[in-house]
Every structure is written in structure tokens, then in C-alpha cells.
Amino acid sequence: MTDVPLYAKLGFTDAEWGLIAGLPQSVLTAASAATHDSARKTRAEVAAGLDRISDARASASQLVSAAASAAVVEAGDPELGEEPPVIEPSDPAGYAADVLGRAAEVATLLSIKVSAADAETYKHWLVEIADEVVGAASTGGVLGIGGDTVTENERSFRDDLAKILAG
């Protein structure tokens, strides 16, 4: 007798679950890469995003909790001090466009497969991840003084993600 994976119990295929569970990390990466920062600021953005992903393991939504748990297994658990590698796409704009396309695909999938409440909770969580990442470190300025908390590219990615998910 084999155990049925949780994602199958939730009604998803392996490929669908890979898309759902992988999207939070992809949103984190795209939001961080929207504006090139120093290594220190990029690490701060990644840490903020991973904390938001990790915290969602306690979500009341079984979908979000399961997706967060799967994402933490892949990326590393910040509560255990695990630091995943910082992913810097060679084409940040192209990567962001790909992530937005996958977000639209997930939004459609969720509208078919889960309750409206679970779908909205998951989509809101993705926007929270992006928001946390783009607000984690200011860009520009001198010695941490001045600069933009959220750059135009970061704001654009976050807003595009929110529009696609509101759909």
C-alpha cells in the first residue's frame, strides 16, 4: 500500500503541484532581481521573502500551508539557519515575465481546483511575499541614507503580480 501525497489529496497532479509549490520562491527571486542591489541588500531581500514563505506553514489554509512546507523543503528553513543560494537570473525582466505567466496559470488552475477562499489566500500570500521582498532593503543613497525603499521596477513587478492574481 502506498501513501497518497498531500497534493494528490488536494486534487493536484505532480506537475500542477510543482507549479504551485515552486511559485512562491520564483516570486521571491523575481521581486529581488527587479532591481540590481548589493549582495548584502539582496541577502536581506531573500531572507525577508523566505521568512514570509516559512511563516505561511502555519496558515489556516491547507493549500498555503502545504505549499509553504514544500517550498521550505526546497529552499531551506530560515528557522534552522539554512541559507539557500541567492538566485540571480541573467535576464531579470525575462524571468519576471515568466513568473507572471506562471502566476496567471496558477490563478486559473486554482479557480478550477480549490475553494475561492483557498485560492484568494494563496494569491494574497504571493503578493505578500513580493511586498516583503521589495520593501526589505532600500536601493541607492549613500551609506544607507536616502535612496528608494521600493524602486519603480520593484513596484511594477509587485503591482503586475497583484493585477494578474486579481484577474
Side-chain angles (χ1 to χ4, degrees):
M1 184 166 157
T2 60
D3 289 332
V4 177
L6 178 58
Y7 66 81
K9 291 178 185 175
L10 293 171
F12 298 106
T13 66
D14 187 50
E16 291 169 339
W17 186 248
L19 185 62
I20 290 166
L23 192 54
Q25 178 67 40
S26 296
V27 165
L28 184 164
T29 300
S32 179
T35 298
H36 182 72
D37 290 311
S38 69
R40 180 186 60 78
K41 290 178 180 180
T42 299
R43 281 192 306 276
E45 291 172 342
V46 169
L50 286 176
D51 284 345
R52 178 63 73 177
I53 292 170
S54 176
D55 290 349
R57 293 179 291 180
S59 174
S61 165
Q62 188 177 22
L63 171 67
V64 171
S65 176
S69 294
V72 167
V73 166
E74 287 298 314
D77 189 342
E79 291 178 9
L80 300 177
E82 297 173 348
E83 290 188 34
V86 173
I87 301 167
E88 295 187 41
S90 58
D91 176 12
Y95 186 80
D98 176 67
V99 170
L100 294 173
R102 287 187 276 149
E105 189 177 340
V106 165
T108 300
L109 178 64
L110 295 178
S111 71
I112 297 166
K113 297 246 182 177
V114 301
S115 71
D118 267 345
E120 288 306 312
T121 301
Y122 179 89
K123 293 185 289 185
H124 181 75
W125 174 50
L126 292 179
V127 175
E128 285 179 334
I129 293 166
D131 200 44
E132 194 75 26
V133 170
V134 302
S138 62
T139 300
V142 178
L143 300 173
I145 300 170
D148 297 319
T149 301
V150 179
T151 68
E152 186 56 40
N153 288 346
E154 292 169 334
R155 183 177 297 107
S156 178
F157 173 75
R158 182 196 58 210
D159 292 351
D160 290 347
L161 177 67
K163 285 178 197 167
I164 285 169
L165 294 173

